[in-house]
Amino acid sequence: MKHRAYCDSAIGILEIIADDKFILAIDFVKTRKANNHNALTKRCVVELKKYFLGKRKSFLVPYKFSGSEFQNKVYTALAKIPYGAVISYGDLAKMIAKPKAARAVGQAVNKNKIAIIVPCHRVVGSDANLVAYASGLWRKKRLLALENGVLTNIKNCPKIRS
């Protein structure tokens, strides 16, 4: 059975989907559906709220990837990027021992179903510019600002490439 809960944040509503054991997806949505939460989705909401308050830097809720073997390698590497850090798609490709696969890594990152917890927002272009985020570059910028303690001074974040 799938369970669903929502977390309000300053950058939008996050929908959390889980089964009885794992978080399966976290994504920004425009509207809510009916809640069908369980203890795991409730715990995830609490952890996300603490993250948005700057009181949590890592997550304890169990999650499960869904994707190809390559995508799952990318997601595993993404999960290792420390809070407040940014790396390039090329760096991420090197982390999975595929140094020439930066473009393929970018495509996998774009399909990440577990936003925030599997921090695809911490991946930037080789020139440190913000080049892609499925939920909008403005959200990526705000997440990076939050993690760097500069929400009041967003200018300190990497630039958004036009």
Side-chain angles (χ1 to χ4, degrees), residues 95-139:
M95 285 175 69
I96 64 164
K98 300 279 186 188
K100 295 184 180 184
R103 189 172 298 257
V105 163
Q107 291 171 344
V109 168
N110 188 52
K111 291 177 175 44
N112 173 29
K113 291 182 174 69
I114 307 174
I116 313 295
I117 292 177
V118 180
C120 51
H121 62 277
R122 296 179 188 153
V123 185
V124 298
S126 60
D127 56 2
N129 284 327
L130 302 187
V131 293
Y133 190 60
S135 296
L137 288 176
W138 70 273
R139 281 192 175 110

Side-chain angles (χ1 to χ4, degrees), residues 4-9 11-17 25-33 35 115 134-135 138-139:
R4 179 186 326 269
Y6 294 90
C7 178
D8 293 319
S9 78
I11 58 173
I13 302 166
L14 285 161
E15 180 180 60
I16 302 149
I17 298 174
I26 300 174
D27 197 13
F28 289 97
V29 296
K30 291 183 181 182
T31 59
R32 299 168 184 259
K33 297 178 184 172
N35 272 335
S135 296
W138 70 273
R139 281 192 175 110

Side-chain angles (χ1 to χ4, degrees), residues 49-91:
K49 284 183 177 184
K50 286 182 179 180
Y51 167 83
F52 282 109
L53 290 171
K55 296 179 179 182
R56 175 168 288 283
K57 294 182 180 182
S58 61
F59 294 87
L60 301 174
V61 291
Y63 54 86
K64 184 167 82 172
F65 303 128
S66 63
S68 68
E69 182 180 339
F70 177 79
Q71 288 170 328
N72 290 344
K73 283 182 183 179
V74 171
Y75 304 149
T76 299
L78 272 175
K80 294 177 182 175
I81 303 170
Y83 181 93
V86 293
I87 66 169
S88 71
Y89 293 96
D91 293 333

Side-chain angles (χ1 to χ4, degrees), residues 132-146:
Y133 190 60
S135 296
L137 288 176
W138 70 273
R139 281 192 175 110
K140 184 173 191 168
K141 190 171 188 175
R142 292 286 304 269
L143 291 167
L144 292 174
L146 169 70

